[in-house]
């Protein structure tokens, strides 16, 4: 052990001797970066990166004579980067210092640093920087993998490129992505569709609040975790998906409740089931500011006979929970949810109570809808709560938040 330590000391001393020998020939030259930062970036701007990840492509950095840039060797020795010192001495050149073309969030060795969570690689004034995530980051569920029907099979298309062809007799779960639709469903669609028709097989996330680039389906869990992947799965295409949230406080702005009641002519058992399904569809829905969302897409509702309804049937039992949703939305100043009306029978005919109703958040911060049921049968109580998610460093008295209105009532 002592021998290794003595060897390390000798190496450091040797390097220092070399540097001091070169020092008389050094002009301590300064070189300014004159290119575009995208030329030295390891990734396209907008890429999601994490602390500890290298973001600079060293092979693209300009090199300069070592004798005019001895300061580079000193800086590398300070951080015990002996490999860079050895390479520079052996080649006689040093790279342009990273600080010449970077700013915040990037170390002098080109590594993202100084933040937690999914950062974003970008630039300001031709300086490469890594920004930490905002308190809230959200994107929108967007089709990524698409099946396009041909005469004798399907082309599987991603980013406008055909990545695979599957013959019509080979369509099954082993040959196609089947997270959202099974091979059996795709086969049925193929038999009923026309050449050129398409069917979405998988989704990514795009149009982010902080302008980060598209996140592919297999990156969602890697970058943002399984809960975000699950949320993306359950909500319809184009829905906003909160991928990151930190340093905020939840305020219970308003709540409401109602009773299911009895309407035996519409089958009270079906009504009780539908009330629970409605609450399940909307519970946990997060809507970012200036965004619109529905409840989850994969929820079925029982249909009861109703001669007044188009087609002779309707999903009765969804109106009591819909009234509570309408109540908490209007109470904080939001508009009447799309697909609903102001009557006792609050859900319009023909509207899916989960994915068909749309709530628009016109407030400054994200809102979260919480819904649940208590009890069983016609005596069931349906609860709804509206929560506003506000950054902890925000003075709510200086915002247009609904919290101001709530506190003044």
């Amino acid at each position: 052990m002592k021998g290794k330590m003595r060897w390390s000391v000798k190496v450091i001393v040797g390097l220092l001797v070399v540097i001091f020998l070169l020092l008389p020939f050094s002009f301590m030259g300064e070189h300014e970066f004159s290119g575009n930062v995208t030329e030295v970036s390891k990734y396209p701007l907008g890429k999601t990166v994490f602390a500890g990840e290298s973001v600079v492509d060293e092979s693209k950095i300009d090199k300069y004579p070592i004798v005019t840039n001895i300061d580079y060797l000193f800086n590398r020795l300070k951080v015990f980067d002996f490999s860079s010192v050895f390479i520079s001495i052996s080649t006689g050149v040093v790279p342009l210092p990273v600080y010449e073309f970077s700013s915040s969030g990037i170390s002098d060795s080109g590594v993202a640093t100084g933040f937690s969570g999914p950062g974003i690689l970008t630039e300001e004034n031709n300086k490469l920087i890594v920004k930490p995530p905002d308190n809230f980051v959200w994107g929108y569920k967007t089709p990524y993998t698409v099946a396009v029907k041909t005469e004798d099979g399907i082309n599987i298309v991603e980013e406008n490129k055909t990545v695979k062809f599957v013959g019509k007799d080979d369509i099954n779960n082993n040959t196609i992505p089947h997270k959202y639709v099974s091979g059996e469903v795709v086969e049925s669609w193929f038999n009923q569709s026309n050449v050129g028709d398409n069917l979405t097989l998988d989704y990514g996330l795009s149009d982010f609040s902080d302008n980060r680039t598209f996140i592919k389906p297999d990156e969602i869990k890697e970058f943002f975790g399984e809960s975000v992947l699950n949320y993306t799965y359950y909500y319809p295409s184009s829905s906003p998906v909160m991928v990151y949230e930190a340093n905020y406080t939840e305020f219970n702005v308003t709540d409401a409740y109602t009773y299911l009641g009895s309407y035996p002519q519409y089958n009270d058992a079906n009504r009780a089931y539908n009330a629970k399904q409605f609450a399940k569809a909307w519970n946990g829905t997060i809507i970012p500011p200036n965004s619109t969302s529905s409840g989850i897409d994969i929820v079925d509702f029982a249909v009861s006979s109703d001669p007044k309804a188009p087609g002779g049937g309707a999903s009765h039992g969804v109106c009591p929970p819909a009234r509570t949703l309408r109540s908490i939305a209007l109470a904080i100043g939001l508009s009447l949810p799309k697909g609903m009306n102001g009557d006792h029978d609050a859900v319009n005919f023909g509207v899916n109570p989960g994915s068909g109703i749309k709530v628009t958040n016109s407030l400054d911060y994200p809102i979260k809808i919480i819904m649940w049921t208590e009890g069983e049968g016609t005596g069931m109580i349906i609860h709804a709560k509206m929560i506003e998610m506000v950054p902890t460093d925000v003075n709510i008295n200086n915002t247009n938040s609904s919290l101001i209105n709530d506190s003044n009532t």
Side-chain angles (χ1 to χ4, degrees):
M1 187 68 179
K2 292 182 179 179
K4 289 184 178 180
M5 291 180 62
R6 284 196 294 267
W7 183 85
S8 299
V9 171
K10 289 180 180 179
V11 169
I12 295 173
V13 171
L15 291 173
L16 289 173
V17 170
V18 171
I19 292 171
F20 280 112
L21 288 175
L22 292 171
L23 193 58
F25 304 98
S26 173
F27 300 100
M28 303 298 283
E30 293 290 337
H31 302 281
E32 293 185 359
F33 181 72
S34 58
N36 189 299
V37 290
T38 57
E39 298 171 1
V40 296
S41 174
K42 196 171 185 177
Y43 305 111
L45 299 184
K47 174 77 165 58
T48 297
V49 296
F50 292 85
E53 188 173 353
S54 174
V55 296
V56 174
D57 188 341
E58 295 184 0
S59 67
K60 297 178 181 178
I61 302 176
D62 291 337
K63 303 296 191 299
Y64 296 93
I66 193 173
V67 294
T68 62
N69 293 272
I70 302 302
D71 53 338
Y72 171 83
L73 299 184
F74 278 118
N75 290 333
R76 291 295 86 211
L77 280 177
K78 287 179 184 177
V79 294
F80 305 105
D81 184 4
F82 299 125
S83 61
S84 294
V85 174
F86 276 121
I87 293 172
S88 295
I89 292 176
S90 61
T91 59
V93 294
V94 299
L96 183 70
V98 171
Y99 62 76
E100 290 287 355
F101 54 82
S102 71
S103 184
S104 60
I106 301 177
S107 72
D108 59 0
S109 59
V111 172
T113 188
F115 65 95
S116 61
I120 176 174
L121 180 65
T122 184
E123 65 89 23
E124 289 181 0
N125 301 319
N126 203 35
K127 292 280 190 178
L128 200 63
I129 65 174
V130 173
K131 286 184 176 180
D134 299 327
N135 294 85
F136 306 105
V137 180
W138 65 90
Y140 292 83
K141 184 175 178 178
T142 306
Y144 180 74
T145 305
V146 179
V148 180
K149 180 174 179 176
T150 68
E151 289 285 356
D152 51 357
I154 58 173
N155 286 329
I156 297 180
V157 178
E158 295 177 349
E159 299 177 299
N160 296 319
K161 297 179 181 178
T162 298
V163 297
K164 185 178 182 181
F165 171 78
V166 179
K168 60 183 179 181
D169 296 327
D170 296 322
I171 299 173
N172 56 61
N173 284 346
N174 295 322
T175 59
I176 64 167
H178 55 276
K179 179 178 180 179
Y180 285 90
V181 288
S182 68
E184 184 178 347
V185 170
V186 176
E187 183 180 17
S188 176
W189 164 81
F190 179 88
N191 293 330
Q192 300 175 31
S193 59
N194 298 316
V195 172
D197 287 351
N198 61 74
L199 177 69
T200 300
L201 303 179
D202 209 348
Y203 295 85
L205 296 172
S206 68
D207 298 324
F208 281 89
S209 55
D210 57 2
N211 297 315
R212 67 183 63 216
T213 52
F214 191 96
I215 300 297
K216 298 178 182 180
D218 59 357
E219 295 175 327
I220 296 176
K221 180 179 179 180
E222 175 188 355
F223 289 168
F224 308 125
E226 189 168 7
S227 62
V228 173
L229 179 66
N230 292 337
Y231 192 101
T232 304
Y233 174 77
Y234 283 112
Y235 282 78
S237 183
S238 301
S239 294
V241 178
M242 189 71 68
V243 301
Y244 180 79
E245 50 198 49
N247 302 318
Y248 67 95
T249 301
E250 292 190 351
F251 291 91
N252 182 12
V253 184
T254 187
D255 52 36
Y257 71 91
T258 190
Y259 290 89
L260 180 64
S262 177
Y263 292 84
Q265 67 271 33
Y266 298 132
N267 190 325
D268 280 335
N270 280 356
R271 293 180 63 250
Y273 174 80
N274 287 340
K276 289 184 177 182
Q277 290 296 83
F278 190 103
K280 177 182 176 182
W282 283 92
N283 184 44
T285 296
I286 298 176
I287 311 177
N290 303 309
S291 297
T292 299
S293 182
S294 69
I296 67 175
D297 199 18
I298 308 176
V299 170
D300 62 315
F301 294 88
V303 176
S304 298
S305 177
D306 184 353
K308 297 179 182 179
S315 298
H316 287 289
V318 298
C319 288
R323 290 195 294 272
T324 63
L325 176 63
R326 180 181 65 191
S327 177
I328 61 174
L330 296 179
I332 64 172
L334 305 185
S335 59
L336 178 69
K338 183 179 178 181
M340 296 179 64
N341 58 71
D343 298 334
H344 185 76
D345 294 334
V347 181
N348 296 337
F349 281 124
V351 172
N352 183 293
S355 60
I357 294 174
K358 310 284 185 180
V359 175
T360 298
N361 178 13
S362 55
L363 305 179
D364 294 331
Y365 304 108
I367 56 174
K368 181 189 294 185
I369 297 167
I370 303 298
M371 293 194 73
W372 72 100
T373 62
E374 179 184 354
E376 298 292 337
T378 57
M380 179 189 300
I381 306 173
I382 302 107
H383 298 268
K385 181 188 299 184
M386 187 70 81
I387 292 172
E388 191 165 8
M389 305 161 67
V390 181
T392 53
D393 59 350
V394 169
N395 180 358
I396 62 172
N397 294 317
N398 293 325
T399 74
N400 294 320
S401 168
S402 66
L403 295 171
I404 299 173
N405 297 328
D406 186 67
S407 63
N408 289 337
T409 58

